[in-house]
Amino acid sequence: MNIDPETVRAFSGAFLLAMLVLCIGLVVAMSSKTSAYARADRFSLRVRLPYGTTATRDSVARRGRVSSLTTAITMLVTTVVLSPLLLTPVAASPAFPIIVVIPLLVATGFASAVVNVRERLFRPAPDAPRVARARALGAVDYLDRFRLVLPWVLAVAAALAFTALALQWVRQPARVDDAFAAAAVFAAVVSVVVFAALPAVERLVLTQPQPASDTLELAWDDAFRTTALSALRLSAALSAWLACALALGALWLGADVLFSTFASQVPTWGLIALTFIYPSTGRRLRTNLYPEWLRRPVAPEGSPA
């Protein structure tokens, strides 16, 4: 069923307005110092790290507030920058929300990395004791191999999907959905940029100093570093997934009307799944990152506690 382009444009305008209101609300909410402590406490539970001291809790809350506020402001600025798209033919495309969401999600991922590079969690006094890792750590020390490899697997899948889309476009262009195809091309361009920048930005995060006075402070810094690296991988995985899903959607929507609902929902399902794989609210660290006194052997499955 064809929808009037002006109706689609109106829905696009309403979507963008809702995004602006949401982003403004997030900026206001993340500005609160009181809520920063509540978010810090939840983060502490998820990463399974105690504070140790009140000063550590204050530092974690401050760092979390800066990170959350930066992300919210990045979302707001990106949404404002994308607003002129309403004046272009893109606004009349059913894929407009996805076209807006792609740079929004990518920008927030890189904003997390910027905070990690610029902000220091702890600032020990010059005469205070210092601790450091015995060796330089790489991304594999912070994220398991599945999370490291997944974006590249999705990139390969996207390349294969685009190959199929290109072949179909040459053979039967009438059976390709133009709106989804255009959105897929946009996602692919964003994905190429993200994957090209990923190694350099990731290296920049990993080479930042980690001033800490004890192993617990070092573990806390690693917790925020893990979150930043996870956000970067999420940006890459999201852009590759959307390029793949939109390319396949362009084929399905053009092939058979029975696939319309399914094809239009696949990108959203993938987005939701990836946010669980790369959570931004903290997750248990890899065992080697915890202080020795916090490490616990894992009992075999089915054994008594």
Side-chain angles (χ1 to χ4, degrees):
M1 181 178 66
N2 292 326
I3 304 177
D4 177 56
E6 291 307 313
T7 301
V8 177
R9 189 182 295 275
F11 276 114
S12 298
F15 172 79
L16 203 58
L17 179 61
M19 288 298 302
L20 285 170
V21 173
L22 174 64
C23 291
I24 292 171
L26 283 175
V27 171
V28 173
M30 298 306 166
S31 300
S32 169
K33 292 183 178 180
T34 302
S35 66
Y37 281 94
R39 291 195 302 275
D41 292 343
R42 290 193 294 270
F43 186 75
S44 173
L45 290 174
R46 291 188 182 104
V47 300
R48 302 184 186 184
L49 278 175
Y51 291 121
T53 66
T54 302
T56 297
R57 183 172 184 252
D58 292 339
S59 295
V60 170
R62 178 194 62 79
R63 172 62 182 278
R65 178 171 175 266
V66 170
S67 181
S68 298
L69 190 56
T70 300
T71 299
I73 291 174
T74 300
M75 290 178 62
L76 178 59
V77 171
T78 305
T79 304
V80 171
V81 169
L82 294 172
S83 296
L85 287 177
L86 286 174
L87 304 177
T88 69
V90 173
S93 167
F96 179 82
I98 299 176
I99 292 174
V100 170
V101 165
I102 293 170
L104 200 66
L105 295 175
V106 170
T108 56
F110 279 82
S112 178
V114 169
V115 171
N116 194 84
V117 170
R118 293 181 58 87
E119 293 289 324
R120 298 276 73 81
L121 182 57
F122 300 107
R123 297 178 175 86
D127 57 345
R130 299 291 184 95
V131 296
R133 299 288 179 195
R135 61 178 179 84
L137 302 185
V140 71
D141 295 297
Y142 293 95
L143 301 175
D144 58 72
R145 293 195 179 277
F146 171 74
R147 289 175 174 81
L148 290 175
V149 172
L150 181 59
W152 298 99
V153 173
L154 293 175
V156 172
L160 294 175
F162 263 88
T163 301
L165 181 61
L167 290 174
Q168 182 72 340
W169 181 264
V170 171
R171 294 171 182 172
Q172 294 177 300
R175 299 188 68 179
V176 173
D177 185 85
D178 292 337
F180 264 61
V185 171
F186 177 73
V189 172
V190 173
S191 184
V192 169
V193 173
V194 170
F195 276 88
L198 181 63
V201 178
E202 202 168 68
R203 188 162 53 249
L204 192 60
V205 170
L206 290 168
T207 55
Q208 291 306 300
Q210 293 181 284
S213 297
D214 55 49
T215 54
L216 181 58
E217 288 187 354
L218 191 59
W220 268 110
D221 199 279
D222 283 330
F224 281 100
R225 180 176 283 193
T226 299
T227 301
L229 294 173
S230 180
L232 285 173
R233 293 283 167 163
L234 175 61
S235 294
L238 283 174
S239 59
W241 160 251
L242 287 173
C244 177
L246 290 170
L248 293 177
L251 292 172
W252 286 336
L253 287 168
D256 193 331
V257 71
L258 293 177
F259 285 104
S260 296
T261 302
F262 177 73
S264 61
Q265 292 179 357
V266 167
T268 304
W269 294 341
L271 290 177
I272 294 172
L274 287 172
T275 57
F276 279 100
I277 295 173
Y278 300 97
S280 61
T281 53
R283 62 185 299 273
R284 183 177 174 82
L285 302 181
R286 305 206 72 184
T287 303
N288 64 300
L289 299 179
Y290 285 100
E292 192 69 36
W293 54 275
L294 275 178
R295 299 177 190 177
R296 296 287 185 273
V298 179
E301 188 173 349
S303 63

